[in-house]
């Protein structure tokens, strides 16, 4: 009898969740205020990290910016201070666990407890698996995946104690479905998605419903990170690379609306569904039609050319 009652309650919750999602699609959701919140952003010296910093500054958040590139990070800080934000910067390599924990202690001592954590830092080797040095493969996994564990362990305890906070994971559409020749990146982003979803389930199971999570899965963003990547030319106008500002603005709407997940653009939900529902051969046929099976080859060629040019200059 208890099982039947629980089943009925589950079906009611399921129906309500679907109806609520449909309504939210057509109605503008209520956005929360983050004025005065302390927001830490990793990879803040990069294109997306910088835009995230500026958007959070506009919302009145205090900022803690981390990046391994000190000058780029300071430039982001200057722009955010120009918007009136209180900003603290740290040069941190998030592939180094000890560096994360030590700098986190400094942040707590000097600034306060972080209430919004944006795990944005990301890298890609840009080499075929058999041509890629092990060190580059390891770095991709350390930055894109392992750092999420260390960052969360560093800042989640206070959020749980206060039952207040927000953890944002900037993953990728390539964490939901894969493509050829970027095994390191796909593996790291699949790991990021799995980590984020499991963490979300854990928080809900423990009743820490005041600690929110948002998973961001954008298509290729035009930041230069995947320069040269191209799908079939007849379809490029249908799915062009995303503008960085558009990507961040859509992500911010999801964060402020406390949306659990967002794919950018919405068209990216389609390959996620087809991957799960269609046979492997059907997915391969679709990839080949769209040029997705070879879309990374021009990108890898660009990386190889840059690498060879740098070797020539250094010699």
């Amino acid at each position: 009898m208890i099982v039947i009652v629980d089943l009925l309650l589950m079906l009611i919750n399921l129906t309500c969740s679907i109806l609520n999602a449909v309504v939210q699609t057509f109605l503008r959701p209520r956005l929360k205020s983050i004025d005065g919140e302390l927001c830490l952003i990793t990879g803040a010296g990069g294109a997306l990290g910088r835009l995230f910093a500026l958007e959070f500054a506009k919302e009145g958040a205090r900022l803690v910016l981390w990046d391994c590139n000190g000058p780029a990070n300071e430039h982001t800080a200057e722009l955010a201070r120009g918007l009136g934000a209180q900003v603290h910067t740290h040069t941190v390599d998030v592939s180094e666990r000890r560096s994360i924990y030590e700098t986190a202690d400094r942040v707590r001592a000097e600034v306060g407890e972080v209430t919004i954590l944006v795990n944005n830092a990301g890298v890609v080797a840009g080499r075929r698996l058999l041509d890629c040095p092990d060190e580059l493969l390891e770095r991709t996994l350390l930055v894109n995946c392992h750092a999420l564990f260390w960052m969360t362990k560093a800042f989640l305890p206070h959020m749980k104690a206060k039952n207040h906070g927000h953890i944002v994971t900037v993953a990728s559409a390539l964490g939901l479905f894969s493509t050829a020749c970027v095994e390191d990146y796909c593996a790291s982003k699949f790991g990021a998605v799995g980590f984020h979803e499991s963490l979300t389930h854990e928080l809900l199971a423990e009743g820490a419903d005041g600690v929110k999570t948002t998973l961001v899965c954008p298509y290729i963003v035009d930041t230069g990170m995947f320069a040269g990547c191209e799908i079939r030319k007849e379809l490029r106008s249908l799915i062009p690379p995303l503008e960085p500002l558009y990507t961040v603005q859509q992500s911010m709407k999801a964060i402020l609306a406390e949306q659990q997940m967002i794919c950018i653009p919405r068209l990216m939900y389609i390959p996620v569904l087809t991957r799960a529902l269609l046979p492997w051969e059907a997915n391969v046929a679709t990839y080949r039609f769209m040029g997705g099976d070879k879309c990374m080859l021009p990108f890898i060629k660009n990386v190889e050319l840059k690498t060879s040019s740098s070797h020539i200059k250094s010699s």
Side-chain angles (χ1 to χ4, degrees):
M1 186 64 182
I2 295 177
V3 173
I4 295 175
V5 173
D6 284 345
L7 176 61
L8 290 174
L9 289 174
M10 184 271 288
L11 292 174
I12 292 171
N13 288 332
L14 180 64
T15 303
C16 291
S17 297
I18 293 173
L19 291 175
N20 182 62
V22 172
V23 170
Q24 293 296 334
T25 301
F26 296 99
L27 297 180
R28 179 170 179 158
R30 181 180 179 182
L31 304 182
K32 68 178 179 181
S33 171
I34 56 171
D35 186 42
E37 299 277 357
L38 185 59
C39 173
L40 190 155
I41 303 171
T42 64
L48 290 185
R50 180 166 295 158
L51 290 170
F52 269 118
L54 298 180
E55 290 299 315
F56 275 104
K58 291 175 185 177
E59 295 293 330
R62 297 175 295 140
L63 301 177
V64 178
L65 306 181
W66 287 14
D67 200 284
C68 61
N69 185 329
N73 201 29
E74 288 298 334
H75 179 53
T76 300
E78 290 176 9
L79 295 175
R81 291 186 183 111
L83 296 174
Q86 177 185 334
V87 186
H88 301 266
T89 60
H90 297 90
T91 301
V92 186
D93 184 348
V94 295
S95 70
E96 297 287 343
R97 180 181 56 199
R98 182 177 297 178
S99 179
I100 287 177
Y101 289 151
E102 289 178 351
T103 312
D105 288 338
R106 286 181 56 196
V107 170
R108 277 189 290 270
E110 298 172 5
V111 188
E113 294 289 351
V114 169
T115 54
I116 302 176
L117 174 60
V118 182
N119 287 309
N120 165 74
V123 296
V124 62
R127 310 278 188 88
R128 291 174 179 268
L129 176 62
L130 299 182
D131 297 331
C132 188
D134 292 345
E135 294 77 12
L136 290 182
L137 292 173
E138 289 176 343
R139 180 165 178 77
T140 301
L141 291 166
L142 286 169
V143 173
N144 296 0
C145 184
H146 293 188
L148 304 180
F149 291 82
W150 306 328
M151 294 295 298
T152 303
K153 288 183 71 175
F155 297 106
L156 180 59
H158 178 77
M159 294 184 190
K160 289 181 68 175
K162 297 294 184 181
N163 196 25
H164 174 77
H166 203 136
I167 296 177
V168 180
T169 303
V170 182
S172 169
L174 290 180
L176 301 171
F177 57 87
S178 58
T179 191
C181 300
V182 280
E183 291 87 350
D184 63 322
Y185 190 79
C186 287
S188 68
K189 292 302 183 179
F190 266 76
V193 171
F195 166 81
H196 181 95
E197 290 185 350
S198 181
L199 174 65
T200 301
H201 285 305
E202 178 180 327
L203 291 171
L204 292 174
E206 294 180 348
D209 55 353
V211 182
K212 308 300 181 180
T213 63
T214 299
L215 175 65
V216 180
C217 293
Y219 177 60
I220 294 170
V221 186
D222 191 15
T223 61
M225 186 174 184
F226 285 99
C229 175
E230 295 177 344
I231 60 171
R232 186 170 184 159
K233 63 180 180 180
E234 293 87 352
L235 301 176
R236 288 173 200 164
S237 60
L238 179 64
I239 319 177
L242 298 170
E243 289 294 327
L245 181 58
Y246 172 80
T247 304
V248 171
Q249 288 176 339
Q250 292 300 306
S251 301
M252 286 297 297
K253 288 179 182 178
I255 294 166
L256 297 179
E258 297 182 344
Q259 184 176 332
Q260 286 83 3
M261 176 185 178
I262 180 171
C263 285
I264 311 171
R266 291 184 181 274
L267 197 61
M268 288 299 103
Y269 288 107
I270 295 177
V272 175
L273 289 173
T274 58
R275 178 181 181 273
L277 298 176
L278 295 181
W280 171 259
E281 292 80 5
N283 280 300
V284 171
T286 305
Y287 273 41
R288 287 177 175 170
F289 170 75
M290 298 185 66
D293 59 330
K294 298 180 179 178
C295 66
M296 289 293 173
L297 296 181
F299 157 65
I300 291 173
K301 186 175 181 180
N302 283 347
V303 173
E304 290 173 346
L305 290 173
K306 289 180 181 178
T307 303
S308 60
S309 297
S310 63
H311 285 328
I312 292 173
K313 289 180 181 178
S314 61
S315 59

